[in-house]
Every structure is written in structure tokens, then in C-alpha cells.
Amino acid sequence: MTTITDTKFSDIYITSEDKKAYIADRRTLNALMEFEPDDLADFCKVVEEGFDGHNTGYSINYNGILYRVEKSFGVSGEQYCARKMPHAVPGLNVLGYPPELVDFLMTLRRANGLILCAGPTGAGKTTTISSLLKEYLQIEGGFAYTIEDPTEHPLNGVYHTPTGGLGVCRQTTPLHGKWGESLKSALRSHPKYILVGEILSPDCASEVLRAATSGHLVFSTIHANNVTDAINSVVKYAAAGDMSEELAYDLFSRGMLGVLHQNLVGKGIRRPDVSYLFANPDTSHGDQVRGIIKTGNLNLGTPIETQMTRLQKGIPLFPKGD
């Protein structure tokens, strides 16, 4: 018997007019194959009933596994893409990042500011920030608040630290689709960590920048082609609302901890191809990266290359006194 749950795949595409399903054929880079599990009808029913009539992106739970669903309307009727989420949030050390990058990211767990993960659709951005938040909760504890639409990874719950302390995570969705208002509400709960699934609107960008400069550790994602584009995209979003570009660049420069850009490469088990840029978490010291971003003239190629080379060689990014 072949079932949805027991079959390995990332995305399943369903056409509503004939109830046919397709998944990657796992032999080539892009080709699909028709998928005919015994429980397809049951799965399709759950997918269709999960749509609330408003949000075309939503989550469902099928046999204990979360699926992120996107509903669209084609010329021949409704169609769905459902992405299978893992049973548990994977550890950062199994995602394929360079060990030196993982080690440095772990040093930021007590810092405040913004960790932004950028890349194209399907690059594993949300998996990265979810994994990072999980690691911090397991080591440091503290209260975490997420705002996601839809919810993807099972972060909600209690975490036990090695010292006997606790971490608590509460996952939420934006009320009435208002990301900015939801972020303001999150701040009133005084969380140490805030995870925002994706920056997609001016109010969301503005509140993320404000949260990153007010004593919180904020994680988020954005669609962008590289590190520089990611920074510019956040600023442009914020400037499209009630914030000037000058203020947005200033807040980003003061609130930034790190920006990662990634894409998944390879066949079969794909690994992240990643570039990154960090600011000194000790804001009492001068920092070239923060200075460049504040000006809005983002000539960041050399700092990115220098930082990546230093980490690869085991040289500290921010030695004491820098």
C-alpha cells in the first residue's frame, strides 16, 4: 500500500478537475511523475476543506504531518500545491551549512538584532530560521513568539535547556492578515525571540526594523537575489509605508546582526549554497558594515568576501577591540 505519509517528496501538485497528483520523479532536475497513492482522495478532501474562503495560503494537518498549501485558480479550475513539512524541526548542523558558519551563528544566541535569511522560493529560508530559533531555545531558553502565514514547522512547545531552564515558543498567525499589528502585539508579550515568517508588506518591514532595535532577537525571511538585494528590499518595503528611506537604512544598520542568502543546489539531497554578511553584535564598537548600510550606498562585495574568507580560515570576525 502506497500512502501520502510514507512517500518521500517535497511538493505535491494536485489538479482539482481530475484529482490527479504529481511529485518530482527524483531522477531528473525538474521533471514530475504522476503520483497515485491509495489515500489520495482522503488527502484531497483535507486539502480542499482547509481553505477558509479567503487566504489562498494555509496549513493543514494530515496524519500528524503539517503541509503548507497554496491554492490557485487555473483556466481549468482550482489547483493546489502542498509542501510536506518535517515531523520535527531539523538541527542546524544537519542542513549542510559550513561548520564555521554554524559555530558563528550559535555565538549570536544572546545578542539582540535581526537575522535575515534571503533567497528564492523553495530555498529553505524558513527551515533555516526555524532551526536556528530551535537551537537557541534548547540552549538558552526564553520566550519565543512567531508570526507565520501559514505555520510551517512545529516550533510550538516547551524546551529544556542543559542548565535546567525552559524555553517556551508560541506560534501565531497574523490577525486579519495584519502583520504590523500582530508584531506590535507580540512586543507587548516581551519575548526574547520573534520569528516573522516573511517580510511582505511595508508595515511588517517597519515593525521588524523597530523590533530589531528595541532589545529583541528577530528572525525573518525575504525573497532576494543576494545579500545586498535583501537589505535594499527590506528598506524599500519600509519606505513604502510610514518610514523614510533614511530612517529605514539607519534602523537596519543599528539592528542588523546578519544577512544570509542561500539557494539549494545539487540533485537528490540538495545543500545550501550560502553567502553572508554580519555586523558586530557588540554595538559599543565601531563597525564598517553598519557604517556602510547607514549611508544607503551598499558597496558590500568586499566586506562579504572578507568575512567569508575569515570564517573559512578560522579567523574571528570581530576580535576584541575591533
Side-chain angles (χ1 to χ4, degrees), residues 96-147:
Y97 290 104
E100 65 273 9
L101 176 57
V102 173
D103 290 343
F104 182 77
L105 286 169
M106 295 312 299
T107 69
L108 301 179
R109 63 185 183 271
R110 295 181 179 176
N112 300 319
L114 172 63
I115 297 177
L116 182 68
C117 189
T121 300
K125 302 183 295 296
T126 303
T127 299
T128 296
I129 62 171
S130 298
S131 176
L132 195 54
L133 174 56
K134 176 185 175 181
E135 297 278 3
Y136 290 177
L137 285 168
Q138 288 178 325
I139 296 174
E140 289 293 322
F143 181 53
Y145 194 110
T146 84
I147 307 168

Side-chain angles (χ1 to χ4, degrees), residues 2-205:
T2 302
T3 68
I4 294 278
T5 304
D6 295 334
T7 304
K8 291 183 178 180
F9 62 84
S10 174
D11 297 293
I12 179 170
Y13 305 91
I14 300 170
T15 55
S16 61
E17 71 275 10
D18 54 9
K19 291 295 188 297
K20 286 190 175 181
Y22 304 87
I23 60 175
D25 70 359
R26 304 184 69 85
R27 298 189 303 271
T28 59
L29 185 60
N30 298 308
L32 303 175
M33 66 178 187
E34 190 170 341
F35 181 41
E36 300 178 288
D38 295 279
D39 58 344
L40 180 59
D42 294 335
F43 182 74
C44 288
K45 181 179 179 182
V46 174
V47 168
E48 292 172 347
E49 292 178 348
F51 178 55
D52 64 3
H54 301 286
N55 296 320
T56 57
Y58 55 95
S59 295
I60 64 166
N61 187 309
Y62 183 73
N63 288 345
I65 297 177
L66 279 176
Y67 293 80
R68 187 182 71 187
V69 180
E70 185 64 37
K71 179 178 182 177
S72 56
F73 302 88
V75 295
S76 57
E78 301 166 350
Q79 52 201 28
Y80 303 85
C81 173
R83 172 160 294 181
K84 181 185 282 188
M85 297 292 106
H87 288 281
V89 182
L92 196 64
N93 63 341
V94 303
L95 295 181
Y97 290 104
E100 65 273 9
L101 176 57
V102 173
D103 290 343
F104 182 77
L105 286 169
M106 295 312 299
T107 69
L108 301 179
R109 63 185 183 271
R110 295 181 179 176
N112 300 319
L114 172 63
I115 297 177
L116 182 68
C117 189
T121 300
K125 302 183 295 296
T126 303
T127 299
T128 296
I129 62 171
S130 298
S131 176
L132 195 54
L133 174 56
K134 176 185 175 181
E135 297 278 3
Y136 290 177
L137 285 168
Q138 288 178 325
I139 296 174
E140 289 293 322
F143 181 53
Y145 194 110
T146 84
I147 307 168
E148 307 164 82
D149 188 17
T151 302
E152 295 190 24
H153 292 275
L155 284 164
N156 203 72
V158 177
Y159 299 78
H160 297 266
T161 73
T163 60
L166 298 177
V168 177
C169 183
R170 290 293 175 258
Q171 291 181 276
T172 71
T173 56
L175 186 62
H176 306 305
K178 296 181 178 179
W179 290 81
E181 289 301 317
S182 297
L183 253 169
K184 290 178 182 178
S185 175
L187 293 175
R188 298 185 193 109
S189 300
H190 304 291
K192 165 59 180 174
Y193 314 104
I194 303 172
L195 184 149
V196 179
E198 187 173 0
I199 297 174
L200 285 171
S201 65
D203 62 331
C204 181

Side-chain angles (χ1 to χ4, degrees), residues 238-253:
D242 62 353
M243 184 178 290
S244 68
E245 271 197 20
E246 182 180 15
L247 177 57
Y249 278 120
D250 178 61
L251 289 176
F252 203 112
S253 70

Side-chain angles (χ1 to χ4, degrees), residues 231-246:
I231 298 170
N232 276 326
S233 293
V234 174
V235 168
K236 300 302 182 187
Y237 266 127
D242 62 353
M243 184 178 290
S244 68
E245 271 197 20
E246 182 180 15

